[in-house]
Amino acid sequence: MAARAYWQGQIRLALVAIPVELYSATKAGSKIRFNQIHEPSGKRISHEKVVPGIGPVDKEEIIRGYEVSKGSYVLLEDEEIEAVRIESRRTLELVQFVDSGEIDPLYFERPYYVAPQDELAEEAFVVLREALRQAKKVALGQLSVRGSEKLVAIKPCGKGLLLETLRYADEVREGQAFFDEIDDAKPKKELLDLATTLIDQKSAPFDASEFEDRYSEALRGLIEKKRKAKKGEAVIEDVDEPGEGRGGNVVDLMAALKKSVGDEKKPAAKKGSRAKKSA
């Protein structure tokens, strides 16, 4: 089944308009979702809308409200909310360009692939892509879609473009408040050298396919065993904890780093992980 475009419109750079389509760059993947079940009957539990002291209420009696103080709400009709929704626009205007490494990763939210709508749009699309690549810049704009306005960044991605929605400034917490209590002292050179050596030994090109969601895989295995087990029978398995544990509150950091570096130098034993694909 062909992917459905999240948005269709045009990217505008001054007087140049490029018809494009946006496609989500991510998918749900291997996430496992559970339902709440009434154990005696085996039926799924439904959640009723209730008011404390009153009980279940009809859908027609429900209105949206914004809490301005504890227990005090400003009530809003659907028509009032609809009136201030941002009209979806078919034009994404590029209003600013910044250095590719200037945007803090904290601001990045969700990625989308950008592709030209047709062959006629390809020439201008390629010019924009290569101009961004040559200038080492990221384009910024605001995308109006589905009633809201999103800040977005656009950069080259192979033969296409990658659009990433960004969080606004008031959606990001300042990290410094969490780091104030950390000591400013520099680490000992020998410790730093050992840690750097360990990092060098473990460095490799990033390949997301080398990592698996072990929790989801374990859940799938548990679900399959439970499906085959007798009704009501529990399936409990012990899970080995990685490593040997701390064994105490005092850690000899120097000894631990030296042992880690030494272990990394030993020939790798055969593992149960999948083999690399041959070229």
Side-chain angles (χ1 to χ4, degrees):
M1 183 177 178
R4 183 179 178 182
Y6 169 75
W7 180 83
Q8 290 180 316
Q10 57 184 13
I11 292 176
R12 181 178 291 277
L13 175 58
L15 298 178
V16 179
I18 309 168
V20 297
E21 296 176 331
L22 263 59
Y23 297 91
S24 177
T26 61
K27 57 183 180 180
S30 59
K31 297 296 181 185
I32 295 176
R33 307 188 193 286
F34 293 104
N35 295 309
Q36 290 186 321
I37 305 298
H38 180 237
E39 188 174 10
S41 66
K43 295 182 179 180
R44 183 174 174 177
I45 295 173
S46 61
H47 297 276
E48 288 185 298
K49 304 286 187 180
V50 297
V51 176
I54 296 177
V57 296
D58 293 333
K59 183 179 178 181
E60 293 74 20
E61 297 177 310
I62 299 174
I63 190 172
R64 282 186 276 188
Y66 179 81
E67 190 172 29
V68 291
S69 60
K70 187 67 175 177
S72 179
Y73 302 88
V74 172
L75 303 182
L76 297 168
E77 300 281 352
D78 288 344
E79 293 79 7
E80 294 175 307
I81 296 173
E82 191 66 28
V84 297
R85 283 168 66 93
I86 300 295
E87 181 183 354
S88 293
R89 298 188 180 93
R90 293 299 177 185
T91 300
L92 168 57
E93 186 167 0
L94 304 183
V95 297
Q96 186 181 349
F97 298 88
V98 300
D99 291 340
S100 56
E102 191 175 332
I103 305 174
D104 192 306
L106 282 169
Y107 287 91
F108 290 106
E109 193 173 36
R110 183 171 293 182
Y112 295 88
Y113 294 127
V114 185
Q117 276 191 26
D118 49 42
E119 291 184 4
L120 293 176
E122 278 189 19
E123 183 179 12
F125 182 91
V126 169
V127 169
L128 174 60
R129 182 195 69 199
E130 292 308 304
L132 288 172
R133 182 168 281 145
Q134 184 171 313
K136 296 181 181 179
K137 297 288 185 180
V138 173
L140 298 180
Q142 287 181 285
L143 179 68
S144 300
V145 60
R146 297 181 181 177
S148 62
E149 193 166 45
K150 302 177 185 293
L151 177 63
V152 301
I154 298 176
K155 61 185 177 183
C157 178
K159 293 167 64 178
L161 293 170
L162 184 70
L163 179 147
E164 294 177 273
T165 57
L166 303 176
R167 296 178 177 90
Y168 287 100
D170 61 358
E171 296 178 284
V172 177
R173 288 176 174 166
E174 290 291 338
Q176 197 55 45
F178 302 99
F179 308 145
D180 283 342
E181 301 301 320
I182 299 175
D183 197 341
D184 289 334
K186 299 295 183 184
K188 294 179 180 178
K189 184 179 184 304
E190 188 176 0
L191 290 173
L192 188 59
D193 289 344
L194 283 168
T196 303
T197 299
L198 186 59
I199 290 171
D200 289 341
Q201 289 175 345
K202 287 180 171 287
S203 294
F206 175 68
D207 181 359
S209 65
E210 291 296 312
F211 299 87
E212 293 181 352
D213 185 345
R214 293 175 293 181
Y215 176 63
S216 291
E217 290 302 314
L219 271 180
R220 283 197 178 84
L222 173 61
I223 290 168
E224 183 61 20
K225 285 183 181 180
K226 188 77 175 181
R227 187 180 67 84
K228 294 178 180 178
K230 294 179 181 178
K231 187 175 181 181
E233 181 181 339
V235 180
I236 307 295
E237 295 181 353
D238 290 331
V239 179
D240 294 331
E241 289 291 334
E244 300 175 356
R246 296 191 178 191
N249 292 328
V250 179
V251 177
D252 187 339
L253 183 57
M254 181 72 74
L257 284 172
K258 284 182 177 179
K259 186 178 186 305
S260 298
V261 170
D263 288 345
E264 285 298 312
K265 288 181 178 178
K266 295 177 182 178
K270 290 185 178 181
K271 298 180 181 179
S273 61
R274 62 179 182 277
K276 294 260 188 181
K277 293 182 181 178
S278 56

